[in-house]
Amino acid sequence: MADIVQILLSESFWAASLRIATPLIFGVLGALMCERSGVLNLGIEGIFVAGAMAGWMAVWLGAGLWGGVVVAALTGACFGLIHAVLTVPLGLSQHVSGLGVTLFATSASYFAYRTALPNVSSPPRIEPFRALDIPVLSDLPVLGPVLFQQTALTWLALILVGIVWYVLERTPLGVAIKAVGDNPDSADAQGLSVQGLRIGAVVAGSALMALGGAFLTMSAFDAFFFGMVNGRGWICIALVIFASWRPGKALAGALLFGAFDALQVRLQTQVGALVPGQLFLMAPYVLSIIALVVAARRAEYPRALLKPWFKGQR
Amino acid sequence: MPPARLENMASDTVLRLDGLSKRFGPVLAVDGVRLDLRRGEVLALLGENGAGKTTLMNMLFGHYMPDDGRVEVAGPDGVLRPLPPGHPQAALAAGIGMVHQHFTLAENLDALDNILLGSEPLRTLRRHRAAARRRVEGIMRRSGLVAPLEVPVGRLSVGERQRVEILKALYRDARILVLDEPTAVLTPQEADALFENIGAMTRDGLSVIFISHKLREVLAFSQRIAVLRHGRKVGEIATAQADERQIARLMVGADTPGIARETLEPGAPVLELAGVSLRGRSARDSLSGLDLRVRAREIVGIAGVSGNGQGALAAVVSGLRRPEAGQVLIDGAPVARPDPRAMIRAGVGRIPEDRHRDGIVGAMSVAENMVIERLDSPEVARRGLLQKRRIRAHAEALAREYDVRGPGIEAPARLLSGGNIQKLILARVFDRAPGVILANQPTRGLDMGAAAEVARRLLEARARGAGVLLISEDLDEVLRLADRIFVIHDGRLHEAASREREAIGLMMAGRAAGAAA
């Protein structure tokens, strides 16, 4: 018990929580954006891989770090567009299309990697984002290391929480996206394009998801590995429900998961000799499931989620 | 039907439908309809289900592309100009507002956001809700249509939602308002209030088309009536000169047989609910302390506005939900484990509210659907094997007797039209000669002919000695068929002391309920 308290009081634990949460923040925001418009995007796992791969490769080819971020986002948008076209105007099953996009994006990324680097055993490294060392602020006790020694991408994620919230809650566009996710007829009857809004939301959301992948190769690590996304996309799908499709709660959910994960790593090193490490590895997922069960009972799904909409059919 | 007279008033015409036609597959849903609407007029568009009323209005509003013909709308200068087809945006801009039968409201947004939806450019980053709110409040004051603006629409009552729908149109400066079956979900009082508000607005120059199949309100509140049948306009009459029989004949194309309800002496109770309580997800989905007795040879009508516990009551009687307190008795004996199978065995025949979802298995054939409640009988299945030949012969006889028309008894039941699905269900239910019949909204969405058939069968069952529990949101139907009338409101039942529309309407709104109990 004293161990846990000590861990919870340490700055490095909180800094690690935020770091682990960062890709999830991108992912949840992206998934939330898609689902608010009525489209479930199970392509998220593959889009993470594609973003990780494309961003890293762009930097490796000399595009610069921010160039890599842009390339990752565009890659995510492209895969999002595939999903959007299949599910919105064509109205195919969102589950099938999403899983298809995940398989496709994952394999295409590995294929591109192997094509570009046929004979490499250890992946080439890039110079990743460095922690922002902001004078004065970084030296603050506790807050300094936790908040102000993160990389620019973590900051981008936090800023995006605010932007997505503002768009959804304070702009006509956000009202329209929420309307097509609840009752597309309401938007159609007021002369808005349901298909346009949904495609736009899925493409934008997918771009956000890809940034989560890019964080992995360009900030958390400095290279692309097979299997490095490791289910983070699926976690985001669950976190969206936990967050009741709200950006603020999405941030809280991502941080909670990040904290579980950071805690389990530290507990492993301290009491790992007594308890099998696999139990600790499981812990964040088990706790997430419990949190999800509690939160999902009250969750109000966007009413039009999973339902294709065609003009002139009511 | 004086088209010549209409021509003379062209300067006053705000809308003209010129020979509109629409074909869905082999069906000509709307066939060359011509219709003029004058400024400040309330025009009733009357017709049976499937007559093409809604299709016509959807073309007017640009939801459907007409195959032929065009829509012309008067601009501010009074000159009629054609409207580009298939663009709701253009219809909105021309001042046409449409209130659909199924509300087109986003329930997660508040009323104000629903009203503003689509009126703000999507690219702007700032909204001007306060200014818009003031404008909406002004419209509410002028029109008398009041609704809470800052509550998610999902929490508003049906009447409030409808007012939000109309406010949406008025906010867009609608000069022509189309209301599709506006009173289907309202109490008689709410409906009267709505028409009063509409009357006030037409005095300010609003023109209204309302779609209905209720003769009473059409005669009471319109100035002109256009009747559609099978997609064609078959008549156009000034309301002042119209009489009910004449219009009914135009609608149906023939006189409908009147329904004679002979006086019968009721027998012993066949269905009793004693202190039945059920807690649902909401107050409107619950029952509290229901006492009800249906005797042989009587029809007990349950009137009420939709969503006041009718679904819960039907679920209890059909065994789908088990009450938390109280007892259900069939033929005087309590049903021990009231599940659907026990209720069927005890002799309850059920005509469910949602006939497509709960009444049939759409993928199974008509013949299979006809025997689905008696799979344990030796005529249907022996040693676990279906007696296909017998089932088919049985189904053919039933289809003939109940006039179930469609692509044949081997075709999937989902291919039948709504009226024929209902006939299939009637055949299945009445074939077993049940002692208790639960009929939940049995004529909703049916045309007059099919509805009359349902009514005739229910009366026939009553004469045979069955007790019928008729749950209906159509008060006229309850008044026509029921021997005794109860009103359900917020999960409580109150017997109506009189058969007066006015008194029952008040009870449906929850007033005078204590006094009546």
Side-chain angles (χ1 to χ4, degrees):
Chain A
M1 206 58 212
D3 289 340
I4 294 183
V5 173
Q6 205 187 351
I7 289 169
L8 290 179
L9 287 176
S10 73
E11 291 160 353
S12 75
F13 164 74
W14 290 105
S17 300
L18 184 54
R19 196 167 54 239
I20 296 167
T22 301
L24 302 179
I25 297 172
F26 284 117
V28 190
L29 288 177
L32 179 152
M33 191 90 140
C34 299
E35 291 183 26
R36 265 300 168 106
S37 80
V39 181
L40 175 71
N41 189 351
L42 293 183
I44 184 168
E45 181 79 7
I47 291 172
F48 258 76
V49 178
M53 160 69 201
W56 168 83
M57 185 161 276
V59 177
W60 183 64
L61 292 173
L65 283 170
W66 288 107
V69 170
V70 171
V71 169
L74 288 177
T75 308
C78 288
F79 284 107
L81 186 63
I82 295 175
H83 183 60
V85 169
L86 290 176
T87 56
V88 180
L90 297 180
L92 301 183
S93 156
Q94 295 177 7
H95 288 118
V96 174
S97 165
L99 292 174
V101 167
T102 281
L103 292 173
F104 176 49
T106 307
S107 326
S109 304
Y110 292 164
F111 179 71
Y113 176 82
R114 267 294 162 233
T115 312
L117 303 159
N119 303 314
V120 185
S121 55
S122 71
R125 303 186 176 277
I126 58 166
E127 188 60 34
F129 278 102
R130 293 265 162 239
L132 291 181
D133 204 357
I134 304 170
V136 188
L137 289 179
S138 307
D139 302 328
L140 287 174
V142 189
L143 268 188
V146 174
L147 274 181
F148 297 101
Q149 289 186 6
Q150 302 284 355
T151 69
L153 283 183
T154 297
W155 278 98
L156 181 63
L158 293 174
I159 292 166
L160 277 169
V161 172
I163 291 178
V164 170
W165 175 83
Y166 186 87
V167 167
L168 283 177
E169 299 301 324
R170 290 286 181 271
T171 69
L173 180 64
V175 170
I177 288 174
K178 287 192 287 184
V180 292
D182 184 83
N183 180 2
D185 289 336
S186 70
D188 182 53
Q190 298 280 65
L192 294 171
S193 162
V194 174
Q195 314 276 23
L197 283 162
R198 284 189 165 175
I199 292 173
V202 173
V203 168
S206 302
L208 290 181
M209 294 170 180
L211 293 184
F215 175 86
L216 295 177
T217 48
M218 298 166 60
S219 184
F221 304 95
D222 55 5
F224 178 77
F225 308 100
F226 291 101
M228 74 187 303
V229 172
N230 195 21
R232 283 183 176 85
W234 307 134
I235 293 288
C236 292
I237 293 293
L239 283 175
V240 177
I241 302 167
F242 175 81
S244 301
W245 294 269
R246 288 170 201 286
K249 287 190 179 176
L251 174 62
L255 287 174
L256 192 65
F257 186 88
F260 286 150
D261 209 21
L263 187 63
Q264 91 38 46
V265 172
R266 280 159 181 74
L267 281 178
Q268 244 186 97
T269 56
Q270 297 199 356
V271 283
L274 301 173
V275 189
Q278 285 81 354
L279 274 183
F280 290 107
L281 280 174
M282 261 166 53
Y285 298 93
V286 172
L287 288 171
S288 297
I289 289 171
I290 292 169
L292 194 59
V293 167
V294 173
R297 289 169 64 92
R298 288 192 308 266
E300 278 181 37
Y301 285 73
R303 283 192 307 146
L305 187 63
L306 297 176
K307 290 182 192 147
W309 182 91
F310 301 103
K311 197 167 179 59
Q313 267 182 23
R314 43 189 65 240
Chain B
M1 282 133 276
R5 195 168 58 92
L6 297 180
E7 228 63 44
N8 295 337
M9 304 188 65
S11 63
D12 216 17
T13 302
V14 291
L15 171 76
R16 171 168 296 162
L17 308 182
D18 199 358
L20 282 180
S21 294
K22 177 77 186 173
R23 182 181 284 281
F24 291 118
V27 183
L28 197 53
V30 173
D31 184 3
V33 170
R34 214 190 120 83
L35 200 61
D36 280 13
L37 179 69
R38 279 170 258 153
R39 190 178 141 82
E41 175 184 50
V42 178
L43 171 71
L45 193 57
L46 190 67
E48 296 206 303
N49 284 87
K53 299 168 302 210
T54 303
T55 307
L56 181 65
M57 290 303 111
N58 276 330
M59 283 192 279
L60 159 62
F61 195 67
H63 283 313
Y64 294 155
M65 282 290 269
D67 295 332
D68 199 10
R70 61 181 179 174
V71 178
E72 294 177 338
V73 186
D77 51 358
V79 179
L80 288 170
R81 288 186 193 83
L83 198 65
H87 287 284
Q89 197 65 270
L92 281 168
I96 301 173
M98 180 146 181
V99 176
H100 295 274
Q101 191 178 354
H102 304 289
F103 298 147
T104 56
L105 295 170
E107 293 185 10
N108 57 347
L109 303 179
D110 64 18
L112 189 56
D113 276 348
N114 268 288
I115 292 167
L116 298 186
L117 187 63
S119 69
E120 305 163 299
L122 289 183
R123 284 170 212 280
T124 53
L125 289 179
R126 291 276 308 279
R127 304 184 63 203
H128 303 282
R129 267 176 66 99
R133 197 194 152 93
R134 278 193 296 279
R135 222 191 115 202
V136 173
E137 280 165 347
I139 297 171
M140 291 204 292
R141 261 195 308 280
R142 278 197 301 282
S143 65
L145 300 161
V146 180
L149 289 178
E150 310 254 345
V151 179
V153 165
R155 280 194 240 140
L156 299 187
S157 75
V158 178
E160 287 168 333
R161 289 182 202 202
Q162 185 174 56
R163 293 198 281 278
V164 174
E165 279 281 2
I166 299 174
L167 287 169
K168 252 163 69 174
L170 297 179
Y171 185 80
R172 293 286 189 99
D173 294 316
R175 287 171 299 114
I176 299 164
L177 190 61
V178 180
L179 302 164
D180 191 357
E181 306 232 0
T183 60
V185 289
L186 303 182
T187 64
Q189 278 80 4
E190 280 178 316
D192 290 353
L194 170 68
F195 282 114
E196 231 162 75
N197 292 328
I198 289 174
M201 290 183 282
T202 53
R203 282 191 285 282
D204 292 341
L206 186 77
S207 311
V208 175
I209 301 179
F210 82 92
I211 299 177
S212 179
H213 57 228
K214 294 184 187 164
L215 288 177
R216 192 185 68 88
E217 66 189 30
V218 165
L219 288 169
F221 299 109
S222 70
Q223 277 121 48
R224 208 151 47 94
I225 302 171
V227 185
L228 288 191
R229 187 171 78 235
H230 299 319
R232 286 215 185 90
K233 190 173 84 178
V234 293
E236 197 174 325
I237 317 160
T239 309
Q241 288 144 32
D243 80 283
E244 199 160 327
R245 280 191 70 83
Q246 175 198 10
I247 303 177
R249 205 159 44 230
L250 277 175
M251 260 170 89
V252 190
D255 278 312
T256 40
I259 294 166
R261 187 163 55 91
E262 50 184 328
T263 321
L264 292 175
E265 187 59 36
V270 289
L271 168 69
E272 285 166 279
L273 304 187
V276 165
S277 290
L278 183 69
R279 206 171 37 232
R281 272 159 309 185
S282 68
R284 313 198 117 213
D285 188 34
S286 308
L287 302 173
S288 43
L290 238 62
D291 287 307
L292 181 68
R293 173 178 293 187
V294 181
R295 293 168 294 179
R297 288 191 294 281
E298 77 168 349
I299 296 181
V300 172
I302 308 287
V305 180
S306 138
N308 268 294
Q310 288 98 327
L313 173 58
V316 167
V317 174
S318 50
L320 290 168
R321 285 166 70 184
R322 209 169 286 187
E324 272 122 36
Q327 262 190 332
V328 181
L329 293 87
I330 305 281
D331 291 326
V335 182
R337 288 170 43 86
D339 57 24
R341 183 201 292 248
M343 293 313 249
I344 292 172
R345 287 212 172 130
V348 178
R350 306 158 306 158
I351 302 173
E353 173 179 16
D354 187 338
R355 62 186 74 105
H356 295 268
R357 202 191 64 195
D358 303 328
I360 57 164
V361 182
M364 281 165 51
S365 75
V366 173
E368 286 164 335
N369 270 285
M370 279 179 171
V371 295
I372 203 165
E373 283 189 351
R374 33 185 296 184
L375 292 175
D376 50 357
S377 109
E379 280 174 42
V380 175
R382 199 171 285 174
R383 290 189 291 271
L385 293 174
L386 289 175
Q387 303 291 301
K388 279 282 186 190
R389 201 176 310 152
R390 281 191 196 193
I391 291 173
R392 204 173 306 137
H394 175 79
E396 263 161 15
L398 279 184
R400 248 194 320 277
E401 189 187 341
Y402 287 83
D403 192 29
V404 183
R405 290 184 211 180
I409 57 163
E410 293 297 334
R414 69 184 150 78
L415 296 182
L416 299 183
S417 71
N420 280 301
I421 288 177
Q422 192 70 329
K423 287 185 201 161
L424 189 170
I425 295 168
L426 290 179
R428 180 174 71 209
V429 169
F430 290 117
D431 183 45
R432 292 175 48 237
V436 179
I437 292 163
L438 165 71
N440 192 2
Q441 319 293 351
T443 63
R444 174 146 75 195
L446 299 185
D447 62 41
M448 279 175 139
E453 170 71 9
V454 172
R456 194 175 69 75
R457 294 279 177 187
L458 289 178
L459 288 169
E460 211 175 80
R462 163 178 175 269
R464 198 198 66 227
V468 179
L469 181 61
L470 168 69
I471 304 176
S472 178
E473 283 150 29
D474 181 352
L475 183 51
D476 292 312
E477 175 174 78
V478 172
L479 287 168
R480 261 197 317 273
L481 294 177
D483 298 289
R484 289 189 295 137
I485 298 175
F486 287 79
V487 173
I488 191 163
H489 179 78
D490 266 348
R492 291 169 200 278
L493 271 186
H494 301 287
E495 182 154 12
S498 76
R499 299 178 78 90
E500 306 239 324
R501 288 188 61 87
E502 192 68 12
I504 295 175
L506 282 172
M507 290 175 71
M508 283 162 69
R511 270 173 288 168

